[in-house]
Every structure is written in structure tokens, then in C-alpha cells.
């Protein structure tokens, strides 16, 4: 599909794409790191929100600021910025999540001279009324900071419009995921990965339109028959590797769903399009499937992975954890145990920006997938 | 020969800190109390080291600190064994070793005191790190007890009014929670008294640390690591106040007699980050062999950092700021300001950083701090890559070489 190709092109050169946006539209660009970023507010200000991922280049600058036990995401984005490859940014937004991102924000602020910097210090617990109130307060504070930083106001009407655009994106992604789950052979994991990642990089109106088109096209496509691959769910923080998906497929598996920030945690749960837009955003952040750096109950993520495994009839779950990622590593043992209790086998794969060789990966995936029923 | 031996001993005796014995007694009594709490009809609440413990004391709950447990595990060199157990349970080796060793100790009653008494409830304050949130979730699942999260928004550059309101409302929620789990009303008068004792204890602890401004310093950071236990575990009690009153008198006396923690103190250094519990003696001896005393540290002083914010007349209200704006919950540049103040206050010649694999909020940012201190104050720094509990992260020969090189620089600078 031609449209999917375009997503691949965008993600293969996201910096180049961002530069073009800036040149063609004159839009300001704010980088961000996490699915708790209120993209809708940034977008409503006429600013382009750009999710930053690690780097494909070698680390040459970040090591002078971050110890080797920081995750490759944190090291990678800092590297990109210090190397001057993010010169098109007007600033960055740091929602409070893990300890590493928290310190990255300080290091970024002290060493890089972008004009805008904002820490969106969201609540960590999400299960009390006072936390819910604080959530909305923080979003309003962020809106004010943006308004001040840009010297322009963000109206409710603009916000509501942005919410609709992002909902369209999320709805389309959700639909594509559902279609794939029903018929895993119809689209490759690498393509779905490109669509999700592209949605966080591309001009959002553009992304909304294209993703909707892809969803419609897939809906009309004929079912692929005789697919005997094992149904796999991937769980973890983020997966920024198209290759992982291809290798899983070559090893006899098909990813049917995921539990990733660059996946279902991003698009599940739409923002209400009625009422006060900030309150609506606060509701969504409070009610969405949590990231492990936030708390909604002691078993929220375990319950969720079990639900996903059942709903999507998973034969097995692959935990893809970024090395040095504390929040995810802490959740792994109990999530695995809950899956064990349901009779869903799982395996753990620790990854960094540089993947182990394809041979090594296939050996492990094959061994796991072969034992699945 | 033998005569000399006899002569030397009183000198050595003079060097020893007498209060240590008392401290050991108090801690033993405390852990006996904690372990027999259920028999005595008392509740046990586990709480993070930076957590608001005063309301627990006011409720007659015995607070238990898994982090203190972690420190004991490290000091008794039982860390590797327990960390490996945790890894067998699926916890990755890169996670905080306090968390790993505590989580592994629970099912097997492991560690130097045969495990901690099971909690009736958990109180997790995330003002030190995000790790404690995950750790306490693990323990809440394991012990199946209620978990109260005291959420203190991180203050990169400011403590926003939004955050202030949020924390304020949590104080009421906290008290409500305690009334529920303890099955009794909260006693405001008792709280006032505990608040007063807590402040008094913190002031005394600050005074104790301040005695290291003397030259020679009567105590070192290694002493502080040891004497810290009470301000962490028994903050808000008369016991802590009495103990620190005694310790302060002893330190003042040592200062008056010019008894230094390190014989012939020539260089004064500042320590950053948690102690390396299994190597405190080795490190202390190593630095002492150069006549270098680690006169102060950023870690133990964190337990009196709230003094600027706490108010005896409105302790509960002032806890909002006191517990949110603590050392690890602020931006790197804010930490740097505190470090610079300490450098001047204790007149130090160099900065020794423990880059602690376990503790990201403490360690990430150290390179920037180091560079700024070099640039702005010309202060030499040393970074020791290690871990507070997990000995596998310790490579002695490499560290020794680095210390030697660092001390050479200090020597050359100061003569
Ligand atoms: S949550 Fe994990 S992957 Fe994400 S920045 Fe933090 S440590 Fe890195
Ligand atoms: S050592 Fe650091 S990461 Fe571990 S509990 Fe303490 S503050 Fe948290």
C-alpha cells in the first residue's frame, strides 16, 4: 500500500521530515518523550508535537552527562540533541514519568538552549479525587505556560478541534489493530509499527486522514487464508525496531496486539469530545491503561495483559523490555506470574537500541514460538 | 615493644565514638519492639525513608523502614545472596539493590535480623524516587495489605501552587487512611508533640553534622552513615532527641579536645550519594591513609533539609513543603546550590561521588554537577562507580587506582 510506504519514509528520516514541516509551514516544533504528553494542547497552539525516539547513531556526546546505566532511549535522545541533529526544535516537553526521564529533563534544560522547556509534573497516583483534580490543574498550568511561551492564547475551540484530530488518529489505529487481530496475515508487524510511530511524527491532520484511509482499505481487503502462525502479544515500554516484528514473523509468530506506549497504550481510550476540553483530557489520562511509572491499582497492568491475552486469543506473550528501564522491569515478574496462572506462556527479551544479531533473536523467538500450542 | 603497645591503646580509645554502644542498644530494642508488635497489640507500618512518619508515631504505629533493612543487609554483606534470589524471582539485576534485597528477604525471612516484621499497611512517599512506588506495589501484592501513596510532585525548578494544594489534600487523606487501618481517631494533641520532637531531633542532627565544621572534624561522613539510623527510624520520638543530645555533647567535646575522626587530618572531602555499605570501613581507611577525612555528605544531611520549611506550630501543614522539597525531589541545579553551600560550610578540598547504579535519581546528573564544580570553583572531583549493596558492582583495584590518582591531585593543589 502506497500510504504505508509514506509512513515508512517519514519514520526513516523523522528529522528530515520535521525540518520540512518547519520550512513549509513555519510551524514551531516541540519534542516529547512519553505517551502522557498532552499532545492535544501543543497541537491546539498551532505547534507540531514530535515524539522523539532514541538514536541510530553511536553515542558520542551523551556519555559525558549520563551514566552507562541509563536506558538507551534517554541516552539516545540526549545524543541527538547534543549532536545538534534536533536543531529544528523550539523546545521540549517532559511529562513526569520515570526517574531517568526526570533527570534527563534537568540535564536537557541545563545543557541545551532551546527556547521552550516545560515539565508537566503529572500526579503519579491516579486513583483518588485529589489526584484527578491535580491532573486537570497541571494540564491547565501547561496550557498557560505554552500560551506565555508562544505569546498567544489557546482557545477551547482550538483544543476541541485538536482533540477530534487525535481521536481520529487513535480510532483509526484501533481499527487497524482490530482488523489485524481478526486476520493477522493482512498487514505486517513492521507496517503497523510504521503507522503507529508515524502517527507521532507526522503532521496530525495528515496522519488522521491517511490512517483512516489505511483502515478503510484494510477493511475492504480480502481475508488472507490459511494463516497458521502463532498469535503473539508484545508487552513493554516502547518498541522502536521494525526488525523485531519481522523476525517474530519469520520465526512462526504473528503479533496480534500489544501492550506498548508505542501501541495500544497510546490509542486505547478516546478523549471525550464534549464538555470542558481540559477536564476531558484529564479524564483520559486518569482512566487510560497505566504506564508502570504511574499507579492506578496494584494489579492494573497485570489485569490488563491478561485481558489482552484473552481478548486476542494470544498463544504467547513476548515481553520486550528496554535494558535499564526500572518501571517495566519491576512489573515483569508479577505480570508473568498472572499470565502463567492463565496458562499463557511468555518470554522475556531485553533489548537496547542496538539489537542483538538477527540470528540470536530468531533462535530465541523460534524456541519460544515452537513450544506454543 | 610491649610498653609501646600499652601506651598506644588509650590513644585509640580516645578516637572511638562512645555513643556507638548506646546506638546499637536502641536499634536492637527498636527491632525487638517491631518484631513483637503484634503480640503487643501494635500495628506495623512500612514506610519509605523520606516518608512522613510523624503521623504514624502519633498513631502509636511502629514504623519499619525497608531501606534501613537494605542498608543492614548491605553492611552485613548479605546483599549479593539476596539480590541473586531476587533475580531468580524475575527481578532484573539492574534494579535498585535495596528493593531487590528486601523483596527477596520477605519470602525467606532473610537478612541479618531474620526478615522484617510483616506490615499491617504500607506508606510510600515518592519524594526520593519512582523505584519505591514499584517496590511498594510488589510488597502490597505480596503481603496483601493496604498501600497509601503520598505523592509529592517533583520540583525541577519550582514547587507549584497546584502541587502544593495536591499535597495538602493528601495530608488529610493520609490521616483518614491511618484512622481506617488503625481503627482509632487521630489525636491532634499527640501529633503536636510528635511534630515538636521531630523538629527537635532534626535540629540536633543538623547540629551533630555541623560539628564537622571544626578542624579537625570530630566525625566523618562514615560516622554519620552509622548515626543516621535514628533520625530515619525514630524521628519524632524522645529516644532520638535524647540520643542526639548525647551524641552532640560527645562531638563537641571531641572538637574541643581536637580529636579528629581521622588522625592528622590534612584534607577535607565531601561525599555524595548513598554509602557503599559493604565497603565503608575500607573506604574510610583508604582515605584516612592520606590524612583525608570525608567531613560531610549530601545523604545524611537530607534528613534535616526540611528544617527550612517545617513549622512547629503547624507541623501537619508545613509537612507539605517539608516533605516535597527534599534533596532528591529537586532539580540538578537546585541540588548543586546545596552542594556549593556545603563545600563552603565545611571548607572542603574535593568532592567524592558515588555513582550508584541502584539509584538513578541520585546519580544521573552527577557528571553535570562535577563539571560545574570544576568550572566554577576549581574543585576536583572523583567518581566511584559502585552500588550501595550489590558487591558485584565493586571492582577494588580499579577504584583504588582512581582514589590514589585523585588524592595526588588534591595533594598537589593543597600541598
Ligand atoms: S520508562 Fe523506561 S524506557 Fe522509558 S525513559 Fe524511563 S527508563 Fe527509559
Ligand atoms: S536507593 Fe535510590 S532508587 Fe533505591 S530506594 Fe533509595 S532513593 Fe530509591
Amino acid at each position: 500500500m502506497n500510504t504505508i510506504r509514506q509512513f515508512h519514509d517519514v519514520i526513516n528520516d523523522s528529522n528530515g521530515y520535521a525540518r520540512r514541516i518547519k520550512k513549509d509551514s513555519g510551524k514551531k516544533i516541540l519534542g516529547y518523550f512519553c505517551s502522557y504528553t498532552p499532545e492535544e494542547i501543543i497541537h491546539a497552539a498551532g505547534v507540531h508535537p514530535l515524539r522523539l525516539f532514541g538514536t541510530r547513531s553511536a553515542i558520542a556526546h551523551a556519555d559525558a552527562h549520563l551514566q552507562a546505566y541509563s536506558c538507551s532511549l534517554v541516552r539516545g535522545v540526549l545524543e541527538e540533541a547534543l549532536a545538534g541533529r534536533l536543531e529544528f526544535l523550539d523546545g521540549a516537553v517532559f511529562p513526569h514519568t520515570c526517574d531517568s526521564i526526570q533527570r534527563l529533563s534537568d540535564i536537557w534544560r541545563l545543557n541545551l538552549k532551546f527556547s521552550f522547556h516545560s515539565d508537566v509534573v503529572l500526579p503519579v497516583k491516579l486513583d483518588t479525587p485529589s489526584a484527578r483534580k491535580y491532573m486537570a490543574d497541571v494540564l491547565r498550568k501547561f496550557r498557560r505556560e505554552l500560551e506565555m511561551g508562544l505569546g498567544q492564547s489557546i482557545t477551547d475551540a482550538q483544543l476541541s478541534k485538536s482533540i477530534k484530530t487525535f481521536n481520529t488518529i487513535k480510532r483509526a489505529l484501533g481499527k487497524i489493530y482490530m482488523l489485524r487481530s481478526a486476520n493477522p496475515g493482512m498487514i505486517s508487524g513492521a507496517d503497523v509499527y510504521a503507522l503507529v510511530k508515524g502517527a507521532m511524527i507526522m503532521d496530525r491532520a495528515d496522519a488522521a486522514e491517511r490512517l483512516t484511509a489505511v483502515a478503510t482499505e484494510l477493511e475492504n481487503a480480502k481475508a488472507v487464508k490459511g494463516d497458521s502462525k502463532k498469535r503473539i502479544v508484545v508487552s513493554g515500554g516502547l518498541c522502536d525496531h521494525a526488525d523485531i516484528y519481522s523476525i517474530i514473523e519469520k520465526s512462526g509468530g504473528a503479533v496480534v496486539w500489544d501492550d506498548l506506549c508505542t501501541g495500544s497504550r497510546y490509542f486505547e481510550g478516546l478523549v471525550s469530545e464534549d464538555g470542558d476540553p481540559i477536564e476531558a483530557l484529564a479524564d483520559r489520562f486518569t482512566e487510560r491503561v497505566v504506564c508502570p511509572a504511574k499507579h492506578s491499582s496494584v494489579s492494573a497492568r497485570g489485569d490488563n495483559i491478561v485481558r489482552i491475552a484473552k481478548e486476542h486469543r494470544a498463544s504467547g506473550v513476548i515481553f520486550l523490555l528496554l535494558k535499564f528501564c526500572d518501571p517495566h522491569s519491576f512489573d515483569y515478574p508479577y505480570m508473568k506470574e498472572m499470565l502463567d496462572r492463565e496458562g499463557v506462556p511468555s518470554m522475556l527479551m531485553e533489548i537496547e537500541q542496538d539489537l542483538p544479531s538477527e540470528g540470536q533473536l530468531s533462535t530465541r523467538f523460534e524456541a519460544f514460538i515452537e513450544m506454543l500450542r | 615493644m610491649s610498653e609501646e603497645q600499652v601506651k598506644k591503646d588509650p590513644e585509640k580509645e580516645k578516637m572511638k565514638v562512645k555513643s556507638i554502644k548506646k546506638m546499637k542498644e536502641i536499634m536492637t530494642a527498636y527491632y525487638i519492639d517491631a518484631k513483637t508488635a503484634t503480640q503487643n497489640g501494635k500495628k506495623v507500618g512500612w514506610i519509605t525513608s523520606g516518608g512522613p512518619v510523624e503521623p504514624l508515631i502519633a498513631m502509636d504505629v511502629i514504623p519499619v523502614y525497608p531501606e534501613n533493612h537494605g542498608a543492614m543487609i548491605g553492611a552485613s554483606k548479605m546483599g549479593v545472596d539476596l539480590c541473586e534470589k531476587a533475580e531468580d524471582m524475575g527481578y532484573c539485576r539492574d534494579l535498585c539493590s535495596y528493593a531487590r534485597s528486601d523483596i527477596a528477604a520477605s519470602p525467606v525471612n532473610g537478612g541479618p535480623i531474620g526478615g522484617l516484621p510483616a506490615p499491617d499497611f504500607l506508606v510510600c512517599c515518592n519524594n526520593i524516587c519512582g523505584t519505591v512506588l514499584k517496590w511498594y506495589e510488589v510488597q502490597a501484592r505480596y503481603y496483601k495489605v493496604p498501600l497509601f501513596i503520598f505523592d509529592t510532585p517533583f520540583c525541577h525548578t519550582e514547587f507549584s501552587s497546584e502541587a502544593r494544594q495536591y499535597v495538602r489534600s493528601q495530608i488529610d487523606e493520609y490521616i483518614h487512611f491511618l484512622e481506617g487501618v488503625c481503627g482509632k481517631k487521630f489525636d491532634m494533641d499527640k501529633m503536636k508533640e510528635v511534630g515538636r520532637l521531630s523538629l527537635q531531633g532534626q535540629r540536633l542532627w543538623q547540629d551533630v553534622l555541623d560539628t564537622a565544621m571544626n578542624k579537625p572534624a570530630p566525625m566523618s561522613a562514615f560516622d554519620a552513615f552509622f548515626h543516621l539510623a535514628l533520625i530515619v527510624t525514630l524521628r519524632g520520638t524522645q529516644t532520638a532527641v535524647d540520643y542526639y543530645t548525647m551524641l552532640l555533647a560527645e562531638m563537641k567535646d571531641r572538637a574541643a579536645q581536637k580529636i579528629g575522626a581521622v588522625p592528622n587530618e590534612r584534607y577535607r572531602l565531601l561525599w555524595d550519594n548513598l554509602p557503599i555499605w559493604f565497603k565503608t570501613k575500607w573506604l574510610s581507611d583508604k582515605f584516612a591513609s592520606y590524612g583525608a577525612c570525608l567531613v560531610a555528605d549530601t545523604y545524611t544531611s537530607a534528613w534535616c533539609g526540611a528544617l527550612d520549611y517545617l513549622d512547629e506550630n503547624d507541623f501537619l501543614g508545613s509537612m507539605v513543603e517539608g516533605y516535597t522539597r527534599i534533596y532528591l525531589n529537586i532539580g540538578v541545579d537546585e541540588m548543586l546550590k546545596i552542594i556549593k553551600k556545603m563545600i563552603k560550610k565545611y571548607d572542603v578540598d574535593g568532592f567524592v561521588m558515588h555513582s550508584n547504579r541502584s539509584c538513578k535519581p541520585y546519580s544521573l546528573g552527577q557528571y553535570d554537577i562535577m563539571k560545574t564544580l570544576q568550572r566554577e570553583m576549581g574543585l576536583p572531583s572523583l567518581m566511584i562507580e559502585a552500588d550501595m549493596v550489590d558487591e558485584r558492582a565493586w571492582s577494588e583495584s580499579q577504584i583504588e587506582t582512581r582514589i590514589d590518582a585523585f588524592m595526588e591531585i588534591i595533594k598537589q593543589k593543597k600541598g
Side-chain angles (χ1 to χ4, degrees):
Chain A
M1 245 188 276
N2 207 9
T3 328
I4 298 184
R5 190 68 257 150
Q6 288 163 339
F7 277 84
H8 279 286
D9 291 344
V10 168
I11 67 166
N12 287 337
D13 180 22
S14 53
N15 290 356
Y17 179 84
R19 281 184 200 106
R20 276 200 303 283
I21 285 207
K22 188 149 208 179
K23 196 161 146 260
D24 297 347
S25 68
K27 269 190 187 164
K28 289 205 161 71
I29 302 180
L30 289 183
Y32 72 92
F33 305 91
C34 161
S35 59
Y36 280 95
T37 308
E39 290 177 295
E40 289 87 345
I41 304 181
I42 300 172
H43 185 258
V47 172
H48 180 70
L50 180 78
R51 177 152 181 166
L52 301 173
F53 292 83
T55 185
R56 303 281 183 218
S57 313
I59 303 287
H61 305 81
D63 280 350
H65 300 271
L66 288 168
Q67 282 91 333
Y69 45 83
S70 329
C71 75
S72 59
L73 173 67
V74 161
R75 271 147 53 89
V77 282
L78 185 66
E79 179 65 27
E80 284 288 289
L82 290 171
R85 288 191 289 268
L86 301 178
E87 83 299 336
F88 51 82
L89 286 186
D90 293 282
V93 179
F94 292 81
H96 182 91
T97 51
C98 69
D99 295 335
S100 305
I101 283 278
Q102 168 183 298
R103 284 295 174 224
L104 175 68
S105 165
D106 288 338
I107 294 169
W108 185 284
R109 179 167 52 80
L110 296 171
N111 291 282
L112 292 155
K113 296 292 161 226
F114 296 115
S115 59
F116 186 81
H117 185 105
S118 179
D119 291 300
V120 187
V121 192
L122 302 166
V124 166
K125 62 174 174 183
L126 304 172
D127 57 346
T128 65
S130 64
R132 169 59 185 78
K133 176 183 175 298
Y134 176 61
M135 179 70 88
D137 287 349
V138 171
L139 294 177
R140 271 188 281 268
K141 179 179 183 334
F142 175 60
R143 177 189 190 165
R144 281 198 308 275
E145 277 177 22
L146 255 185
E147 289 176 329
M148 289 234 296
L150 301 168
Q152 71 182 63
S153 69
I154 301 167
T155 64
D156 278 3
Q158 283 166 321
L159 253 177
S160 299
K161 196 162 159 247
S162 289
I163 288 174
K164 287 204 177 94
T165 304
F166 282 87
N167 278 351
T168 307
I169 292 176
K170 290 172 181 175
R171 223 177 270 124
L173 286 174
K175 198 166 183 187
I176 294 166
Y177 265 62
M178 286 307 282
L179 290 165
R180 173 179 66 166
S181 176
N183 194 356
M186 76 189 326
I187 179 167
S188 75
D191 283 348
V192 173
Y193 154 79
L195 295 176
V196 178
K197 184 171 176 184
M200 302 170 179
I201 293 170
M202 224 182 242
D203 174 80
R204 297 307 195 276
D206 221 13
E209 199 178 298
R210 286 171 205 262
L211 287 169
T212 310
V214 173
T216 313
E217 224 170 302
L218 285 177
E219 207 167 15
N220 299 329
K222 269 207 245 89
V224 190
K225 262 184 287 170
D227 194 36
S228 60
K229 290 201 159 92
K230 295 285 163 36
R231 297 175 66 86
I232 302 292
V233 166
V234 176
S235 172
L238 78 177
C239 174
D240 190 18
H241 296 284
D243 291 353
I244 293 254
Y245 295 101
S246 341
I247 299 171
I248 293 177
E249 281 156 17
K250 277 190 218 151
S251 311
V255 175
V256 295
W257 201 263
D258 68 32
D259 165 43
L260 299 171
C261 287
T262 48
S264 74
R265 279 203 299 279
Y266 177 68
F267 65 74
E268 278 189 328
L270 297 181
V271 181
S272 162
E273 296 179 9
D274 308 314
D276 180 82
I278 293 283
E279 294 294 335
L281 285 169
D283 277 337
R284 199 251 160 188
F285 276 156
T286 312
E287 285 154 19
R288 61 162 267 198
V289 175
V290 284
C291 127
K294 303 249 169 269
H295 174 93
S296 62
S297 83
V298 291
S299 62
R301 292 202 60 233
D303 296 338
N304 187 49
I305 193 72
V306 167
R307 169 188 68 87
I308 289 177
K310 282 190 183 157
E311 270 179 31
H312 298 282
R313 292 174 290 116
S315 316
V317 171
I318 297 178
F319 286 95
L320 280 181
L321 301 189
L322 213 52
K323 186 150 176 65
F324 303 117
C325 173
D326 297 347
H328 280 283
S329 304
F330 267 114
D331 272 358
Y332 162 70
Y334 101 92
M335 289 173 73
K336 173 189 183 318
E337 204 185 297
M338 283 182 73
L339 286 170
D340 286 350
R341 255 183 268 146
E342 299 293 328
V344 183
S346 62
M347 72 168 276
L348 170 65
M349 183 85 199
E350 222 180 29
I351 50 169
E352 288 197 82
Q353 192 62 47
D354 296 322
L355 285 182
S357 74
E358 180 167 342
Q360 262 174 292
L361 285 173
S362 332
T363 315
R364 293 216 36 213
F365 288 148
E366 271 167 24
F368 174 65
I369 291 167
E370 254 167 39
M371 59 153 254
L372 298 179
R373 270 187 296 155
Chain B
M1 182 84 185
S2 65
E3 258 190 39
E4 252 185 52
Q5 199 86 50
V6 177
K7 254 191 223 158
K8 256 188 175 171
D9 280 340
E11 270 307 305
K12 270 203 171 163
E13 277 312 301
K14 218 169 99 186
M15 291 291 297
K16 279 194 185 143
V17 178
K18 314 278 174 307
S19 307
I20 287 181
K21 198 168 148 264
K22 181 78 193 157
M23 167 80 168
K24 285 187 176 154
E25 283 167 24
I26 296 175
M27 284 307 282
T28 308
Y30 157 74
Y31 273 113
I32 290 173
D33 268 1
K35 293 199 118 184
T36 53
T38 333
Q39 283 134 272
N40 300 324
K42 282 198 170 190
K43 300 268 184 212
V44 171
W46 284 17
I47 183 167
T48 50
S49 67
V53 68
E54 290 82 357
L56 287 187
I57 309 258
M59 279 303 234
D60 235 1
V61 168
I62 300 193
V64 164
Y65 293 81
E67 287 157 81
N68 180 253
H69 189 216
M72 290 196 296
I73 290 169
S76 50
K77 304 200 186 353
M78 299 171 93
V80 175
D81 179 49
L82 285 169
C83 284
E84 281 173 353
K85 280 205 175 70
E87 288 150 31
D88 290 342
M89 293 164 79
Y91 295 95
C92 158
R93 184 170 166 171
D94 302 314
L95 293 171
C96 167
S97 52
Y98 275 0
R100 265 181 300 148
S101 38
D102 180 65
I103 290 170
S106 285
V108 297
N109 285 330
I113 58 162
L116 292 177
D120 293 296
F121 60 90
L122 305 163
V123 179
C124 171
C125 178
N126 57 7
N127 59 359
I128 46 174
C129 61
T131 284
V132 287
L133 173 73
K134 304 310 296 174
W135 175 2
Y136 277 58
E137 285 177 349
V138 171
Q139 295 297 31
R141 285 190 296 265
Y142 180 76
Y143 290 104
K144 301 190 174 57
V145 290
L147 164 65
F148 184 83
I149 297 165
F150 194 83
D151 183 10
T152 45
F154 195 82
C155 306
H156 287 277
T157 51
E158 56 159 359
F159 183 27
S160 70
S161 56
E162 289 84 357
R164 201 178 289 268
Q165 270 182 30
Y166 174 42
V167 182
R168 182 69 193 87
S169 51
Q170 290 178 75
I171 291 192
D172 301 332
E173 292 161 15
Y174 183 28
I175 287 170
H176 186 73
F177 169 84
L178 291 180
E179 289 182 331
V181 288
C182 299
K184 63 178 180 193
K185 274 230 84 60
F186 192 74
D187 181 342
M188 281 297 170
D189 291 328
K190 186 131 190 248
M191 181 62 230
K192 259 196 192 130
E193 176 59 10
V194 174
R196 194 183 60 73
L197 288 169
S198 168
L199 260 170
Q200 207 183 338
Q202 293 180 58
R203 273 191 213 110
L204 281 162
W205 178 237
Q206 179 74 69
D207 291 344
V208 168
L209 297 176
D210 282 353
T211 61
M213 286 159 70
N214 287 290
K215 293 179 183 172
M219 66 180 285
S220 74
F222 297 103
D223 295 312
F225 296 156
F226 176 79
H227 297 289
L228 171 75
L230 290 196
I231 197 66
V232 179
T233 51
L234 292 171
R235 188 163 73 246
T237 66
Q238 188 65 43
T239 315
V241 168
D242 292 344
Y243 177 74
Y244 289 122
T245 308
M246 177 177 105
L247 182 64
L248 179 62
E250 185 180 355
M251 288 305 156
K252 281 188 168 162
D253 186 49
R254 285 170 69 98
Q257 293 185 56
K258 298 231 171 278
I259 303 173
V262 166
N264 309 317
E265 171 190 303
R266 293 174 64 191
Y267 309 110
R268 298 165 62 82
L269 306 172
L270 179 65
W271 175 273
D272 184 51
N273 212 309
L274 278 81
I276 303 170
W277 289 113
F278 52 89
K279 279 289 164 189
T280 44
K281 170 110 179 44
W282 184 88
L283 280 164
S284 147
D285 289 349
K286 178 74 200 166
F287 283 106
S289 74
Y290 283 98
C293 179
L294 285 137
V295 292
D297 71 281
T298 56
Y299 175 65
T300 58
S301 54
W303 277 270
C304 36
L307 280 175
D308 293 348
Y309 309 114
L310 291 175
D311 175 3
E312 196 168 314
N313 299 314
D314 175 23
F315 193 85
L316 280 179
S318 67
M319 275 186 6
V320 171
E321 193 143 9
Y323 277 105
T324 307
R325 303 183 75 169
I326 74 152
Y327 191 67
L328 280 185
N329 209 41
I330 52 179
V332 167
D333 34 349
E334 292 297 311
M335 291 163 92
L336 192 63
K337 277 185 206 157
I338 296 175
I339 292 172
K340 283 187 192 163
K341 261 194 217 150
M342 292 183 78
I343 289 169
K344 293 206 181 98
K345 177 173 177 184
Y346 296 100
D347 193 18
V348 306
D349 308 306
F351 190 44
V352 182
M353 280 174 291
H354 168 203
S355 166
N356 183 355
R357 297 177 63 85
S358 271
C359 190
K360 295 190 171 98
Y362 219 141
S363 305
L364 304 190
Q366 278 178 321
Y367 284 123
D368 282 85
I369 290 176
M370 176 163 104
K371 270 174 273 182
T372 314
L373 293 179
Q374 177 65 45
R375 192 177 60 236
E376 292 180 7
M377 306 176 94
L379 194 83
S381 303
L382 162 69
M383 192 178 268
I384 298 176
E385 296 277 354
D387 184 90
M388 59 211 178
V389 164
D390 192 341
E391 290 180 66
R392 290 170 295 174
W394 173 264
S395 68
E396 191 146 306
S397 58
Q398 202 184 332
I399 289 166
E400 186 156 29
T401 316
R402 300 193 66 177
I403 295 179
D404 291 337
F406 172 69
M407 286 315 302
E408 272 313 312
I409 298 174
I410 300 271
K411 252 194 207 163
Q412 275 169 20
K413 263 198 92 196
K414 205 178 179 186

